[in-house]
Amino acid sequence: MATVGPIPHCQLNFTFNLHNHQMLSKLHSSPLVQVPKFSLKSVNFPSLRESCKQGSLGDAFRSLSLLLTEQSSIPNFNEEAYSLVLELCASKKALSQGQQIHACLIKTYGLCDSVFLSTKLVRMYGKCGSLLNAEKVFDKMSDRTIFTWNAMIDSYVSNGEHIGALELYQKMRVLGLPLDAWTFPCILKACAALKKHRFGAEIHGVAVKCGFGAFVFVSNALIAMYAKCNDLEGARLLFDSINEEDDTVSWNSIIEAHAAGGQSLEALSLFSRMQEVGLASNAYTFVAALKSCETPSFVKKGMEIHAAILKSNYYVDLYVVNALIAMYAKCGKMEQAERVFKNADGKDHISWNTVLSGLVQNDLYDDALKLFRNMLNIGQKVDQVSVLNVIAASGRSGNLLNGMVVHAYAIKNGIDSDMQIGNTLIDMYAKCCCVKYMDRAFENMPEKDLISWTTIIAGYAQNEYYLEALNLFRKAQIKGMCIDPMMIGSILQACSGLKSKTFIKEIHGYIIRKDISDILLQNAMVNIYGEFGHLDYAISTFRSIESKDIVSWTSMISCYVHNGLALEALELFYSMKETGIQPDYIALVSILSAAASLSALKKGKEIHGFLIRKGFSLEGPIASSLVDMYARSGSLGNSIKIFSSIKKRGLILWTTMINANGMHGCGNEAVDLFKKMTAEKVVPDHITFLALLYACSHSGLIAEGKKFFEIMKYEYQLEPWPEHYACLVDLLGRSNCLEEAYHFVRSMPIEPTAEVWCALLGACRVHSNKELGDIAARKLLQLDTENSGNYVLISNIFAADGRWNDVEQVRMKMKGNGLEKKPGCSWIEVGNKVHTFVARDKSHPLSDDIYRKLAQVTKLLENEGGYRAQTKFVLHNVGEEEKTQMLHGHSERLALCYGLLITPEGMAIRITKNLRICDDCHSFFKLASGVFQRVLIVRDANRFHHFENGVCSCGDFW
């Protein structure tokens, strides 16, 4: 409630001066104006009563001044007059005017023997927020009644000094002072605020013992206390024991208790019961019921309550209006919230702030900033809550200029030193990537709490100032800050950014030593260990989580996917479903990625069906993941269907579809998609051009590839990455333009990376250009690459020339760098299960049958297709017979023979291999597709091969 402005001192015919509220010692000596005395039956006393009833301080002071001049010799009469005005000052929180009355009382009576007026002063100071003066008046009183003690307890509670209220109550008990019914509501409020359930229960016992337990207002205070101490059962038992079922306050208390306790369904059930028993609702009932509807699932009920309010007389009640705005805002219905706000007859600062908070909570940041400007333009009161909301809106929208303007406003109005404002400013500058001002806001804070330190550390980590984040963390420890899981989460982000495995293990040890681990931190540890390839640590941490939530399972699934263990990810996904935990949006995106990695079409379709059954919106990341899964599972047709069904296509979806066409060798289709995308004003990024160049490369579209490389650089101003250069080198190399490719590499504005030299070397191997191949191999060896595949490629080229000494040197260097050749591995999905094979594998239960089938197939292809093993592609220094056996044992052939053995005739067989398919196996599959009249779809490390009627979609160049 707003404070009323000062009343002219002349109205009371005396003047005084107060310094720092020390009004009891320093007073002006100006005497009261002496006027003749009148009879007791003054005309001014009814006028004073009416002024106080109307809440007019000015009129009340004028009436009191006239009354005092008439009745100055009749103390009892004056006591009642002073009492009325002190009560008005308390209700208006008019501290300055209350101090004037206090000064007048001291000057007139000395305030030595009026317990009644002293009690009124204690109450007035307490309500006006001047607890120190309330204590001074209380301490100076020689006599006190129970009303005095209650007033002082209420003063403590009103000013948030709940411990002081409890201590005063205990003092009363020690002195053996008698209590009255009004003592209990105040002291129970203090217990509720401090969550002192046990103390509250003891006071409950005292209330019953004193005979006040049956008082309805005491019972209501007890219900509220139990509810706020998280004992809803106790609150409900007490409510059910109340005989007076027609007491609206009791119903309001229990509805409010359940709403505050998060039991919306029970609160609304009680609200309905209240209607059924015929008890009329009031403003507090509606507000309590509306609080129960502050989630989207209860918005329909909230609208019904809104309709009931419109029919009642409470729609004009500001308290109800604000509750309606809050309910709609928290349910995400800002249009309805703003409509209620606009139609309200009166609005206070709470109304404005509720709309402002709602706009921020619903990510309508521009609207929030606009509303704040309107508040300033019309002179609406702007308080700390308003400023906090608009700073948060500026940060979340990345509007640095607006944030700085509000910061300046906070400085101008002297609220920038507030800790909450300071913390929000740090967060705003962090989100706007303005580290300099973020740091300054932190340093300028007169006091800092744990949130301040956590926010600044998070700001540094989010803006990639990882070392600064770690240094501040050490400072926080030195200052003795109580480190919490949220701060540790930011430090883990910094460790991840620094790629420091040592720091991560140290932080993990710190978490264990300090016993500050919670499920959020445990999930973060699983993620970060997975990111660094520490699978053992990730699995161990995951298993140590006692109550795994959806994030725990998703983190471990993502960990497996990230480390190339897609099969383990799928198995974990099905284990999660067995526990009854339903996958969410993120889990489904991760598992679609696992299915795509394995080309597990059946499992991918199962997940697609699950998405449809559960009502997930097939848009955004889900749509892109589905398109990618079908494409990488060899079903480009389904990818196209999903893509075509999406109305709002973002850049990621377009890029995914371009890439899908590229991996299936459909370069022209990829180019057409790019043209359609740009026609729809979707701006491509680096990844889009990478997918496009990849598609051109795998379809031999040289002119188009060169053109798009130039478009990327000059039309879209995108500086090519090393991967783009590698793609163009690969494109030129595939078309046997090796000299042009080499010239392009030498003219690159950046130092060629391993990927670039590898692309050139691969083309040299295919086209048997030994001279350029030797240059590329030497350059690749000089780069000391950590990719084992590059060493294998160099070794294979040397082996093809019979340079076995050079082969041995490459292998020794590879071993010295701690690298191993990745073993060839193939997967095939049969019978809703993914079967894995490695070269010369005999671990499969049907291994004997598979090898018999392989021998039959090989014989058939030799007789009918003219197949002859091309041992020149076996780059090992062994005999011809052993080379033949090595070719026959390749993992993709074992997978093929298993598919021929198990699947019905004529059914397409899909196989995935982790390495590039060798030339001999490529010939083997072409012949097999013609002899067995099967479509064979093989996805290797480079692309898809669709074998049909003895022909491959790659045109024998991959």
Side-chain angles (χ1 to χ4, degrees):
M1 194 174 289
T3 303
V4 177
I7 306 299
H9 293 162
C10 62
Q11 297 297 328
L12 284 178
N13 295 319
F14 69 95
T15 59
F16 59 90
N17 186 21
L18 298 175
H19 296 290
N20 298 322
H21 302 296
Q22 301 300 315
M23 54 178 292
L24 299 178
S25 56
K26 295 184 180 180
L27 298 170
H28 241 282
S29 56
S30 301
L32 287 168
V33 178
Q34 298 297 316
V35 292
K37 298 173 185 176
F38 293 91
S39 66
L40 183 63
K41 294 181 180 179
S42 169
V43 293
N44 291 308
F45 193 77
S47 174
L48 176 62
R49 280 188 182 279
E50 187 60 30
S51 297
C52 291
K53 186 178 178 182
Q54 295 296 326
S56 172
L57 267 172
D59 291 344
F61 267 60
R62 280 187 285 273
S63 297
L64 179 63
S65 180
L66 290 171
L67 190 62
L68 291 177
T69 57
E70 295 174 2
Q71 307 296 337
S72 59
S73 64
I74 309 173
N76 290 338
F77 189 86
N78 289 347
E79 272 195 7
E80 189 175 352
Y82 280 122
S83 170
L84 287 170
V85 180
L86 284 171
E87 284 287 348
L88 181 59
C89 291
S91 66
K92 292 284 186 181
K93 300 190 187 306
L95 177 61
S96 177
Q97 289 80 6
Q99 288 172 327
Q100 291 183 42
I101 298 296
H102 190 180
C104 183
L105 287 170
I106 292 170
K107 190 145 189 77
T108 307
Y109 302 114
L111 203 64
C112 296
D113 53 0
S114 179
V115 177
F116 175 68
L117 284 179
S118 294
T119 300
K120 291 290 182 181
L121 280 167
V122 170
R123 173 178 162 75
M124 182 274 294
Y125 279 124
K127 292 294 183 186
C128 291
S130 183
L131 186 60
L132 182 63
N133 280 327
E135 286 178 323
K136 283 183 178 179
V137 175
F138 182 80
D139 291 340
K140 285 181 178 289
M141 290 176 68
S142 54
D143 294 317
R144 304 181 186 110
T145 66
I146 185 60
F147 304 109
T148 313
W149 289 88
N150 288 347
M152 194 63 231
I153 289 172
D154 186 53
S155 295
Y156 279 122
V157 173
S158 298
N159 288 276
E161 294 289 337
H162 303 108
I163 292 175
L166 294 182
E167 287 174 350
L168 195 63
Y169 170 78
Q170 287 176 321
K171 188 176 179 181
M172 288 176 70
R173 301 291 291 144
V174 169
L175 294 173
L177 296 173
L179 309 175
D180 73 355
W182 298 104
T183 309
F184 295 100
C186 287
I187 203 64
L188 286 167
K189 276 186 187 176
C191 293
L194 295 169
K195 308 284 187 202
K196 295 277 188 182
H197 180 272
R198 186 175 174 183
F199 197 29
E202 288 176 6
I203 292 169
H204 186 180
V206 174
V208 172
K209 187 178 179 181
C210 294
F212 301 124
F215 283 47
V216 175
F217 62 87
V218 174
S219 295
N220 293 337
L222 283 164
I223 290 169
M225 182 275 296
Y226 281 123
K228 287 178 182 174
C229 290
N230 301 317
D231 182 8
L232 272 177
E233 187 180 351
R236 187 58 185 267
L237 283 170
L238 189 59
F239 172 76
D240 292 339
S241 69
I242 296 173
N243 293 324
E244 297 182 42
E245 285 203 354
D246 60 344
D247 178 58
T248 304
V249 179
S250 304
W251 283 91
N252 291 349
S253 298
I254 196 64
I255 293 169
E256 164 68 25
H258 282 85
Q263 294 194 10
S264 298
L265 203 59
E266 187 61 27
L268 292 170
S269 175
L270 283 162
F271 175 71
S272 298
R273 255 185 65 199
M274 185 180 174
Q275 314 305 309
E276 287 168 10
V277 298
L279 198 57
S281 301
N282 60 22
Y284 293 101
T285 317
F286 287 126
V287 169
L290 287 169
K291 280 183 182 177
S292 305
C293 301
E294 291 180 348
T295 55
S297 54
F298 289 107
V299 68
K300 189 176 179 182
K301 185 65 179 176
M303 293 172 81
E304 289 175 8
I305 295 169
H306 187 180
I309 292 167
L310 289 170
K311 292 176 183 176
S312 70
N313 297 321
Y314 294 104
Y315 189 63
V316 293
D317 191 294
L318 198 53
Y319 193 40
V320 174
V321 167
N322 292 342
L324 276 167
I325 296 169
M327 183 273 292
Y328 280 123
K330 288 179 181 176
C331 291
K333 301 283 186 182
M334 277 312 299
E335 190 177 337
Q336 288 88 334
E338 289 181 288
R339 191 179 299 133
V340 172
F341 176 74
K342 287 174 184 174
N343 292 337
D345 292 334
K347 305 175 185 75
D348 61 3
H349 68 284
I350 296 173
S351 315
W352 286 89
N353 283 342
T354 306
V355 176
L356 193 60
S357 299
L359 291 168
V360 175
Q361 288 161 12
N362 288 282
D363 303 333
L364 300 169
Y365 307 124
D366 291 340
D367 292 341
L369 295 172
K370 184 179 176 182
L371 182 70
F372 182 74
R373 284 192 289 269
N374 288 345
M375 290 173 72
L376 293 175
N377 291 338
I378 66 171
Q380 174 59 40
K381 178 184 175 184
V382 172
D383 60 10
Q384 181 184 333
V385 176
S386 317
V387 172
L388 281 170
N389 272 301
V390 80
I391 293 172
S394 302
R396 292 176 196 175
S397 62
N399 194 328
L400 178 62
L401 183 60
N402 258 308
M404 294 178 78
V405 168
V406 182
H407 188 179
Y409 178 89
I411 294 168
K412 184 180 177 182
N413 289 274
I415 58 173
D416 61 310
S417 59
D418 178 83
M419 195 181 293
Q420 264 190 298
I421 295 283
N423 292 341
T424 312
L425 281 168
I426 294 168
D427 184 62
M428 182 272 292
Y429 283 123
K431 284 184 169 65
C432 292
C433 306
C434 191
V435 175
K436 180 181 175 182
Y437 289 123
M438 175 190 78
D439 187 59
R440 195 174 295 172
F442 177 75
E443 292 299 329
N444 288 341
M445 289 178 69
E447 291 183 18
K448 303 175 183 75
D449 62 0
L450 179 63
I451 296 171
S452 315
W453 285 91
T454 302
T455 308
I456 188 77
I457 289 169
Y460 275 125
Q462 289 158 12
N463 285 282
E464 299 180 7
Y465 285 72
Y466 304 125
L467 285 174
E468 288 81 354
L470 287 169
N471 289 334
L472 267 178
F473 177 62
R474 292 188 186 102
K475 283 184 182 178
Q477 288 177 290
I478 291 166
K479 287 186 175 290
M481 298 300 297
C482 182
I483 308 301
D484 69 350
M486 192 172 288
M487 189 183 290
I488 294 291
S490 295
I491 290 302
L492 285 173
Q493 185 181 351
C495 293
S496 175
L498 289 168
K499 309 293 181 189
S500 173
K501 298 177 183 179
T502 306
F503 280 159
I504 288 163
K505 288 181 180 178
E506 284 180 11
I507 296 297
H508 196 183
Y510 179 87
I511 292 167
I512 293 167
R513 285 196 310 277
K514 297 292 184 180
D515 193 26
I516 55 174
S517 183
D518 62 7
I519 194 164
L520 294 176
L521 272 185
Q522 288 173 312
N523 293 341
M525 290 307 308
V526 172
N527 272 326
I528 205 163
Y529 277 134
E531 184 183 328
F532 281 94
H534 287 312
L535 271 173
D536 290 344
Y537 286 106
I539 293 166
S540 175
T541 305
F542 174 73
R543 287 175 178 167
S544 70
I545 302 173
E546 291 182 9
S547 300
K548 298 177 181 67
D549 60 8
I550 182 60
V551 180
S552 313
W553 289 94
T554 304
S555 298
M556 195 64 229
I557 289 167
S558 301
C559 176
Y560 278 132
V561 173
H562 179 74
N563 287 277
L565 299 172
L567 195 57
E568 287 80 353
L570 276 170
E571 288 172 356
L572 191 66
F573 176 75
Y574 286 107
S575 296
M576 179 189 77
K577 287 184 72 179
E578 286 173 7
T579 65
I581 293 178
Q582 290 299 311
D584 63 1
Y585 201 83
I586 299 169
L588 289 163
V589 168
S590 295
I591 208 62
L592 279 170
S593 177
S597 296
L598 293 169
S599 292
L601 184 60
K602 280 189 177 180
K603 295 203 178 293
K605 284 182 174 179
E606 281 180 16
I607 298 162
H608 188 181
F610 179 87
L611 285 164
I612 294 168
R613 288 196 306 276
K614 295 296 180 181
F616 282 91
S617 176
L618 301 185
E619 294 180 353
I622 286 282
S624 301
S625 296
L626 281 168
V627 168
D628 184 56
M629 181 275 294
Y630 278 119
R632 291 168 71 189
S633 298
S635 182
L636 184 61
N638 278 329
S639 290
I640 295 168
K641 283 180 184 177
I642 297 290
F643 178 79
S644 302
S645 69
I646 306 300
K647 293 180 181 178
K648 292 183 179 179
R649 299 171 188 154
L651 176 61
I652 295 173
L653 185 60
W654 281 101
T655 302
T656 305
M657 196 63 233
I658 290 169
N659 188 59
N661 279 284
M663 72 171 74
H664 284 271
C666 303
N668 289 315
E669 289 81 351
V671 170
D672 289 341
L673 274 170
F674 180 79
K675 290 176 180 176
K676 287 177 183 176
M677 181 188 85
T678 52
E680 291 188 17
K681 308 299 181 187
V682 178
V683 180
D685 64 2
H686 282 91
I687 306 294
T688 311
F689 279 107
L690 197 58
L692 191 58
L693 290 171
Y694 171 86
C696 291
S697 173
H698 282 277
S699 299
L701 304 176
I702 301 174
E704 290 85 346
K706 287 180 178 180
K707 183 182 75 172
F708 287 126
F709 190 82
E710 295 299 308
I711 288 172
M712 177 180 72
K713 285 173 65 177
Y714 300 113
E715 188 175 328
Y716 289 97
Q717 305 295 311
L718 294 171
E719 194 61 36
W721 294 345
E723 292 83 355
H724 295 101
Y725 287 109
C727 257
L728 199 60
V729 170
D730 185 62
L731 173 63
L732 294 168
R734 283 174 181 272
S735 304
N736 202 12
C737 302
L738 292 173
E739 290 297 334
E740 185 182 350
Y742 180 56
H743 177 73
F744 177 77
V745 172
R746 294 192 63 183
S747 64
M748 281 172 57
I750 62 172
E751 191 67 29
T753 61
E755 289 82 8
V756 174
W757 288 115
C758 188
L760 182 61
L761 182 59
C764 290
R765 182 185 67 82
V766 172
H767 296 293
S768 302
N769 190 322
K770 293 182 181 179
E771 186 182 347
L772 279 180
D774 210 39
I775 294 170
R778 284 201 308 271
K779 291 287 187 182
L780 198 53
L781 283 171
Q782 287 170 12
L783 288 173
D784 224 13
T785 176
E786 290 187 3
N787 185 342
S788 63
N790 294 339
Y791 286 107
V792 171
L793 178 60
I794 298 168
S795 174
N796 288 347
I797 286 174
F798 289 159
D801 287 343
R803 297 162 58 180
W804 299 112
N805 288 334
D806 290 337
V807 169
E808 189 59 30
Q809 285 182 5
V810 172
R811 287 177 180 172
M812 289 297 291
K813 185 171 184 180
M814 184 177 170
K815 191 174 181 181
N817 287 347
L819 301 172
E820 293 181 359
K821 181 184 177 182
K822 190 187 292 183
C825 184
S826 297
W827 298 272
I828 180 170
E829 186 185 24
V830 178
N832 205 27
K833 184 179 178 182
V834 177
H835 299 261
T836 308
F837 297 91
V838 295
R840 295 180 293 283
D841 187 8
K842 292 191 177 181
S843 62
H844 196 278
L846 297 178
S847 182
D848 292 341
D849 295 333
I850 291 168
Y851 275 95
R852 274 195 292 272
K853 185 69 174 177
L854 177 59
Q856 292 169 9
V857 170
T858 305
K859 189 81 170 172
L860 190 62
L861 295 183
E862 287 173 347
N863 294 336
E864 296 187 16
Y867 168 73
R868 295 294 178 267
Q870 302 173 69
T871 55
K872 66 178 182 179
F873 296 119
V874 180
L875 303 173
H876 293 274
N877 194 11
V878 293
E880 287 297 307
E881 187 177 342
E882 191 173 346
K883 285 183 178 181
T884 302
Q885 290 301 317
M886 290 175 77
L887 282 172
H888 288 178
H890 278 190
S891 62
E892 58 265 50
R893 297 194 198 199
L894 299 177
L896 171 62
C897 290
Y898 179 69
L900 290 170
L901 195 66
I902 298 298
T903 60
E905 287 188 17
M907 181 179 177
I909 296 175
R910 289 179 170 83
I911 296 169
T912 305
K913 186 174 182 182
N914 65 334
L915 302 177
R916 178 185 177 277
I917 188 172
C918 77
D919 298 68
D920 188 68
C921 286
H922 194 267
S923 299
F924 189 91
F925 271 74
K926 280 202 300 180
L927 291 170
S929 69
V931 169
F932 293 99
Q933 288 298 293
R934 295 260 201 150
V935 174
L936 307 177
I937 302 168
V938 178
R939 193 189 97 196
D940 70 1
N942 285 4
R943 59 167 295 156
F944 267 94
H945 301 265
H946 292 257
F947 300 97
E948 190 171 4
N949 297 320
V951 179
C952 181
S953 60
C954 74
D956 295 339
F957 189 68
W958 66 102

